[in-house]
Amino acid sequence: MDLLEIMTQIKANNQRRLEEWRAKAYMDHRLSELVAFAVNDPAKMPKAEEAYPFIRDDVDQAEQGSQEDSDWKKDQALFMQQAQRIKQFNADKKGGVESGS
């Protein structure tokens, strides 16, 4: 790397570190607020999704995933019912042929 590339990399590293510090400071401040709620007035303590809004995205994705799972399970149950009907129909058909011979 030449000097310009090294300087660009150093600036990028410093910027990333600064963003990490800002995120940590924000999280520390939110934690201190939650501790204050827990100690002074636990009834007013917000839920985790309210205190940390980015969790809501994870919860929404989890709900969507569970909804997709339930849709898959419904489809599987329907498929199994249809397969059972086909097996029963074939068993009845074979039984009727054998008794007619």
Side-chain angles (χ1 to χ4, degrees):
M1 285 201 284
D2 64 7
L3 182 61
L4 183 59
E5 291 173 339
I6 293 171
M7 293 304 294
T8 303
Q9 186 65 43
I10 290 172
K11 286 180 183 179
N13 290 344
N14 288 340
Q15 184 66 29
R16 185 184 46 174
R17 189 174 304 122
L18 183 62
E19 290 298 320
E20 289 174 359
W21 287 346
R22 284 182 182 152
K24 185 173 178 0
Y26 173 77
M27 297 300 286
D28 290 345
H29 186 264
R30 291 299 294 167
L31 179 61
S32 67
E33 288 177 353
L34 293 175
V35 169
F37 272 115
V39 170
N40 296 322
D41 197 1
K44 291 184 179 180
M45 185 160 173
K47 294 183 179 180
E49 293 83 15
E50 295 169 357
Y52 300 105
F54 57 86
I55 293 176
R56 189 168 300 140
D57 295 336
D58 294 338
V59 171
D60 292 342
Q61 289 176 358
E63 288 176 359
Q64 185 180 12
S66 65
Q67 188 177 34
E68 290 173 1
D69 290 345
S70 65
D71 290 344
W72 178 82
K73 289 179 181 180
K74 287 178 186 177
D75 291 342
Q76 182 184 23
L78 181 62
F79 179 74
M80 294 301 287
Q81 289 175 351
Q82 291 173 345
Q84 186 62 32
R85 288 184 195 143
I86 292 169
K87 286 180 183 178
Q88 187 62 41
F89 177 78
N90 288 338
D92 291 345
K93 188 168 83 172
K94 288 181 182 177
V97 172
E98 292 175 2
S99 63
S101 295

